[in-house]
C-alpha cells in the first residue's frame, strides 16, 4: 500500500524536507523504501506553495546533491514543485478562496500562472496516484496558522475528498505558539481545524511550543524556561528553526516509518499500512480524530517500561507547565473539566525501535501496563494500547527510540486556547474585514466556533 505525501506552505515544505531527509537516511533496503518511493526511486510527494522562494531553495539543494554525486537521480520530480507568484497574507480566507486567481499570467519561476495552480495540483496528484501499485491515501503536512498552510491546505484536502472519496487522509498540522507573530493565527487555526475534521480520517497535532521546550531540554536550557511568556515562545540562541524541524521529523519518522508488526510487512517488504493502521487504532470514535505524539531517544535504556515511564513524566511536566489564560466561559468550563480528568487518553499507539526491539515480546505486558498508567487510559476501551516494533532506530548506532501517539485530553489546552483567543478577537471585530473581503463572513466564524467547541466537548466527555 502506497501513500502520496503533500507538503503545503512554507512550514509544511520545511517540515516535509526534514522528514524526507530522515526517510532517505534510515530506509536503505528496497523493501523498506517501497511505501515512500516510486520504482525509479523518485519521492512520492508534491510540494505546494503560493510563492516560489521556499521551493527555489529546495531546487538548489537537490541540484547540489545531484552535481556532487555525478549522476541525476531525480529524487524529487520537478513537475511536483508547484507555486504561484504571491502569498496569502497569513489569511485563511484568502488562501481558501483564492487558490484560483483571476489572472492567468505564467512565468518560468513559478511553473505556471496562479489561475492554474489548483489544476496543476490535481494533475500532479493524479500522476502520483497512478504511479502507486496499491494506492491507499494522502498524508498532508502543513501549518494551522499561515494563509497557505491553513487556507489552501483546507481547500486541497476538501478537493482530495471529492476527487478520491475512498482514499484515506491524514493531516500532520503544526499548531503555532500561543505568543506567535501572526495576529490572525487563532482565526486561521479554528477555521482550518473545522475543515480538517470534516475531510480527514486523522489529524496529528504538533505543537511548536512543545517542540521548542523539548529542544531546549536537550540543549540544557529548559530549567530557565518560564511557561507561557513571550520569551518562551521565541527561539533561543541555542535553538534554531532547523532544530525544531529535525525534532518534529524524528518524531514523525518514529511513528510512520515501516515496522516489524505482522500485519505491516511480508517477506521483508513493507506493506506501508502504518499511517492507516495508526488512524484506525488511535481514533476509536468518529468524533475523536485529533491526537498528539511524544518521542524519546536513549542510548542506554534499561527496559521499554522504564523508557515509557520517563517519557510520560517528561510530557506531563512540559504540558502542565503551560498556563492558558482563558476568558470565554464555555472554553474555561471545558479546560476545567479537562484538568479534572487529569490528561486521560482513549487510545495509545507505541512504536519501539532499536537494539532492544527483540525484547519487546518479553516486555510487552510491562510496557502496556506502564502506558495505561502513565497516559491514563480510559476503562471503557478494552484494548487501549497498540504496540509496534522495528529493528532500526536510525541515526546513532545502538540507540533506542520510543514514540507514543495518544488520543486524549492533551489536545484540549492548545485548541481551547486558540478558540478562546479567536472568540475574543471576534467579539471586538478584530481583522474581520480581511476575511469578509474573501467571502468569509461572520456566519462561517460562528459555525467554526461551534464546531471546534463540540470537538473539545467530545474529548472531555469521552474520558469522563
Amino acid at each position: 500500500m502506497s501513500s502520496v505525501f503533500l507538503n503545503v506552505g512554507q512550514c509544511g515544505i520545511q517540515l516535509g524536507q526534514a522528514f524526507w531527509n530522515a526517510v532517505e537516511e534510515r530506509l536503505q533496503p528496497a523493501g523498506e523504501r517501497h511505501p515512500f518511493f516510486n520504482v525509479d526511486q523518485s519521492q512520492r510527494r508534491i510540494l505546494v506553495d503560493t510563492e516560489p522562494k521556499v521551493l527555489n531553495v529546495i531546487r538548489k539543494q537537490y541540484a547540489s546533491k545531484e552535481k556532487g554525486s555525478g549522476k541525476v537521480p531525480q529524487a524529487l520530480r520537478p513537475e511536483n514543485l508547484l507555486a504561484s507568484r504571491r502569498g496569502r497574507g497569513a489569511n485563511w480566507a484568502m488562501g481558501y478562496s483564492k487558490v484560483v486567481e483571476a489572472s492567468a499570467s505564467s512565468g518560468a519561476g513559478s511553473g505556471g500562472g496562479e489561475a492554474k495552480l489548483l489544476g496543476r495540483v490535481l494533475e500532479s496528484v493524479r500522476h502520483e496516484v497512478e504511479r502507486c501499485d496499491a494506492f491507499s491515501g494522502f498524508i498532508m503536512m502543513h501549518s494551522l496558522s499561515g494563509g497557505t498552510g491553513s487556507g489552501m491546505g483546507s481547500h486541497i484536502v476538501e478537493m482530495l475528498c471529492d476527487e478520491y472519496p475512498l482514499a484515506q487522509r491524514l493531516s500532520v498540522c503544526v499548531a503555532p505558539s500561543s505568543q506567535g507573530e501572526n495576529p490572525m493565527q487563532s482565526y486561521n487555526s479554528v477555521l482550518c481545524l473545522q475543515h480538517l475534521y470534516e475531510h480527514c480520517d486523522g489529524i496529528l497535532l504538533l505543537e511548536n511550543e512543545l517542540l521548542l521546550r523539548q529542544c531546549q531540554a536537550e540543549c540544557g536550557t529548559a530549567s530557565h524556561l518560564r511557561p507561557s511568556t513571550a520569551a518562551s515562545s521565541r527561539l533561543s540562541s541555542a535553538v534554531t528553526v532547523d532544530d525544531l524541524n529535525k525534532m518534529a521529523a524524528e518524531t514523525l519518522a518514529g511513528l510512520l516509518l515501516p515496522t516489524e508488526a505482522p500485519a505491516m510487512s511480508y517477506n521483508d517488504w513493507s506493506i506501508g499500512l502504518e499511517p492507516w493502521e495508526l488512524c484506525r487504532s488511535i481514533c476509536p470514535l468518529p468524533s475523536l480524530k485529533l491526537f498528539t505524539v511524544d518521542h524519546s531517544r536513549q542510548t542506554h535504556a534499561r527496559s521499554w517500561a522504564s523508557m515509557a515511564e520517563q517519557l510520560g513524566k517528561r510530557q506531563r511536566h512540559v504540558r502542565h507547565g503551560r498556563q492558558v489564560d482563558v476568558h470565554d466561559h464555555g472554553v474555561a468550563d471545558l479546560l476545567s473539566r479537562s484538568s479534572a480528568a487529569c490528561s486521560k487518553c482513549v487510545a495509545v499507539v507505541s512504536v519501539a525501535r532499536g537494539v532492544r526491539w527483540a525484547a519487546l515480546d518479553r516486555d510487552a505486558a510491562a510496557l502496556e501496563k506502564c502506558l495505561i498508567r502513565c497516559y491514563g487510559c480510559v476503562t471503557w476501551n478494552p484494548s487501549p494500547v497498540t504496540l509496534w516494533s522495528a529493528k532500526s532506530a536510525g541515526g546513532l548506532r545502538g540507540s533506542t527510540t520510543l514514540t507514543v501517539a495518544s488520543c486524549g485530553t492533551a489536545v484540549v489546552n492548545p485548541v481551547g486556547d486558540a478558540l478562546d483567543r479567536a472568540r475574543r478577537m471576534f467579539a471586538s471585530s478584530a481583522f474581520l474585514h480581511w476575511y469578509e473581503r474573501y467571502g468569509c463572513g461572520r456566519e462561517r466564524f460562528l459555525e467554526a466556533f461551534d464546531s471546534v467547541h463540540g470537538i473539545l466537548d467530545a474529548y472531555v466527555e469521552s474520558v469522563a
Side-chain angles (χ1 to χ4, degrees):
M1 305 295 286
S2 303
S3 304
V4 174
F5 289 76
L6 292 100
N7 304 143
V8 183
Q10 179 176 347
C11 174
I13 291 172
Q14 291 177 342
L15 173 60
Q17 186 63 23
F19 173 74
W20 279 89
N21 287 340
V23 169
E24 290 183 328
E25 173 188 346
R26 302 179 188 198
L27 299 186
Q28 298 304 326
E32 292 183 350
R33 294 170 66 89
H34 167 69
F36 298 90
F37 295 86
N38 293 305
V39 177
D40 61 356
Q41 294 304 304
S42 62
Q43 299 173 3
R44 198 177 286 118
R45 66 161 170 161
I46 301 166
L47 286 69
V48 185
D49 203 356
T50 50
E51 50 187 354
K53 61 180 182 180
V54 179
L55 294 182
N56 289 338
V57 174
I58 301 296
R59 288 189 183 97
K60 290 180 181 178
Q61 290 177 356
Y62 278 95
S64 61
K65 287 182 181 179
E66 293 168 1
K67 184 177 180 181
S69 64
K71 57 182 180 179
V72 185
Q74 266 201 335
L76 188 59
R77 294 178 181 274
E79 61 269 25
N80 285 355
L81 278 69
L82 308 175
S84 56
R85 290 176 172 269
R86 52 178 298 199
R88 291 300 179 258
N91 185 333
W92 179 90
M94 186 179 182
Y96 181 80
S97 64
K98 295 200 70 177
V99 174
V100 180
E101 289 283 348
S103 65
S105 59
S106 62
S110 62
E114 293 187 23
K116 300 180 180 179
L117 182 57
L118 181 59
R120 289 156 53 209
V121 172
L122 274 174
E123 187 71 6
S124 292
V125 166
R126 182 178 66 81
H127 284 307
E128 286 301 327
V129 169
E130 290 175 351
R131 292 187 187 104
C132 298
D133 53 355
F135 172 66
S136 55
F138 301 98
I139 300 175
M140 186 174 72
M141 300 181 184
H142 61 110
S143 168
L144 288 180
S145 62
T148 303
S150 66
M152 191 175 182
S154 298
H155 200 129
I156 288 176
V157 76
E158 183 177 335
M159 171 191 70
L160 296 177
C161 185
D162 293 337
E163 294 290 329
Y164 303 91
L166 299 182
Q168 301 183 79
R169 292 165 295 279
L170 172 63
S171 166
V172 179
C173 54
V174 180
S177 301
S178 57
Q179 303 291 334
E181 297 179 356
N182 177 11
M184 298 185 290
Q185 65 182 26
S186 299
Y187 281 161
N188 296 339
S189 298
V190 172
L191 291 166
C192 184
L193 280 173
Q194 181 202 14
H195 274 74
L196 293 179
Y197 237 79
E198 291 178 2
H199 302 104
C200 289
D201 299 290
I203 307 169
L204 171 53
L205 187 67
L206 298 174
E207 298 180 57
N208 256 341
E209 203 160 337
L210 295 188
L211 290 172
L212 175 59
R213 289 173 179 270
Q214 292 175 16
C215 287
Q216 289 176 321
E218 290 192 357
C219 294
T221 60
S223 59
H224 303 291
L225 186 65
R226 295 182 180 179
S228 298
T229 63
S232 70
S233 64
R234 300 191 186 100
L235 295 181
S236 68
S237 58
V239 180
T240 65
V241 175
D242 287 340
D243 293 331
L244 295 184
N245 287 327
K246 289 178 181 178
M247 174 71 71
E250 182 177 343
T251 301
L252 292 175
L255 192 63
L256 300 179
L257 261 56
T259 63
E260 307 291 333
M264 308 294 186
S265 60
Y266 179 76
N267 288 344
D268 295 329
W269 279 77
S270 172
I271 300 178
L273 284 176
E274 281 80 8
W276 317 120
E277 283 296 314
L278 171 66
C279 291
R280 184 187 65 81
S281 302
I282 203 70
C283 306
L285 297 176
S287 58
L288 307 178
K289 297 182 180 181
L290 268 170
F291 59 96
T292 58
V293 61
D294 305 321
H295 180 78
S296 176
R297 175 191 289 273
Q298 294 185 12
T299 54
H300 302 288
R302 291 176 297 176
S303 67
W304 291 116
S306 64
M307 200 168 174
E309 185 82 34
Q310 294 177 12
L311 180 61
K313 288 181 179 178
R314 187 187 75 183
Q315 294 306 317
R316 284 196 302 271
H317 173 73
V318 169
R319 287 195 168 97
H320 290 175
R322 145 186 216 174
Q323 300 171 357
V324 180
D325 185 21
V326 174
H327 296 262
D328 184 86
H329 294 296
V331 178
D333 177 63
L334 283 173
L335 294 183
S336 63
R337 289 160 59 197
S338 175
S339 300
C342 299
S343 298
K344 289 187 177 180
C345 288
V346 175
V348 170
V349 173
S350 173
V351 186
R353 300 178 184 271
V355 293
R356 293 184 53 84
W357 77 277
L360 186 62
D361 290 340
R362 184 185 68 238
D363 300 339
L367 176 59
E368 183 174 349
K369 290 180 181 178
C370 182
L371 290 171
I372 291 175
R373 183 181 72 255
C374 292
Y375 283 85
C377 294
V378 295
T379 56
W380 57 261
N381 188 351
S383 302
V385 176
T386 302
L387 302 179
W388 298 342
S389 65
K391 296 179 182 179
S392 174
L396 299 176
R397 177 176 296 181
S399 63
T400 300
T401 66
L402 183 66
T403 310
V404 180
S406 58
C407 177
T409 55
V411 304
V412 175
N413 264 22
V415 177
D417 182 36
L419 177 60
D420 176 70
R421 291 173 184 271
R423 277 181 167 170
R424 278 188 280 163
M425 292 170 58
F426 181 81
S428 60
S429 298
F431 304 109
L432 287 184
H433 61 290
W434 290 106
Y435 290 79
E436 292 170 347
R437 177 181 297 183
Y438 300 104
C440 183
R442 292 176 177 266
E443 296 78 10
R444 176 165 286 190
F445 277 99
L446 294 174
E447 181 183 348
F449 294 159
D450 291 341
S451 176
V452 174
H453 190 280
I455 292 170
L456 299 181
D457 188 64
Y459 275 88
V460 175
E461 288 294 331
S462 67
V463 301

